[in-house]
Amino acid sequence: APTGATGVPPPLPQNQRDSVRSIHCWPKQQQDASVVESLYRTIQYGVSYQLQAQLRLEQALYYKNPARILGAFGRSIHDSSTRNDYTQHNLGSLVCLKRVMEIREGIESLQKDTEEQRQKRLEREQEELQNYE
């Protein structure tokens, strides 16, 4: 994996957003639950890493205006220098995680509906069999 000047891999929020953008365009019937689940776990893992670079109160106190910097994202977990694009990219990947979660919920509800429909169909068939006898 490519590394930055400090020998630490650069953050990946842009790659996460690109992945989500591509899956978000798929029609619901083509969204493979295993692919969505894998993407969800991957982005969730990446976001948990990124959140470590978010400036909390104990770090913000060292800045000129702590209230203004609080919640921003530093360059990495080893470099707390801030720029607007660091925060933008990290927030973008949080939005992507939300989108994947929505897609995941949609697939789960589709599967649940399908299971409910299957159960109702079986119940109707059993009733018809009983009425036929």
Side-chain angles (χ1 to χ4, degrees):
T3 59
T6 60
V8 176
L12 299 175
Q14 182 66 42
N15 296 340
Q16 290 182 15
R17 285 205 322 261
D18 291 343
S19 299
V20 173
R21 226 180 261 130
S22 67
I23 196 168
H24 196 62
C25 297
W26 296 355
K28 287 251 186 259
Q29 61 271 20
Q30 291 182 355
Q31 291 174 355
D32 182 4
S34 64
V35 172
V36 173
E37 189 62 29
S38 175
L39 183 60
Y40 169 72
R41 284 193 312 268
T42 302
I43 293 176
Q44 189 179 36
Y45 182 77
V47 165
S48 68
Y49 175 80
Q50 288 169 236
L51 288 174
Q52 295 177 45
Q54 190 174 29
L55 297 176
R56 294 175 182 78
L57 185 58
E58 63 270 15
Q59 296 147 322
L61 291 174
Y62 294 101
Y63 286 81
K64 183 178 178 180
N65 188 346
R68 189 172 182 184
I69 200 76
L70 188 63
F73 286 86
R75 183 179 186 283
S76 71
I77 62 174
H78 302 290
D79 180 1
S80 61
S81 62
T82 60
R83 292 188 351 199
N84 287 341
D85 63 328
Y86 297 156
T87 298
Q88 270 183 316
H89 289 298
N90 282 282
L91 288 175
S93 64
L94 293 173
V95 169
C96 287
L97 176 61
K98 180 183 180 291
R99 287 183 185 160
V100 170
M101 290 171 73
E102 290 169 349
I103 292 170
R104 190 171 171 241
E105 288 173 11
I107 289 174
E108 286 174 357
S109 69
L110 281 174
Q111 289 173 340
K112 184 179 176 184
D113 288 345
T114 304
E115 184 60 37
E116 287 174 3
Q117 290 170 351
R118 221 177 282 143
Q119 186 64 31
K120 287 179 182 178
R121 189 179 72 243
L122 286 173
E123 288 171 5
R124 279 195 311 265
E125 289 173 359
Q126 287 176 351
E127 285 177 20
E128 288 174 7
L129 281 174
Q130 288 174 354
N131 290 337
Y132 184 73
E133 292 175 351

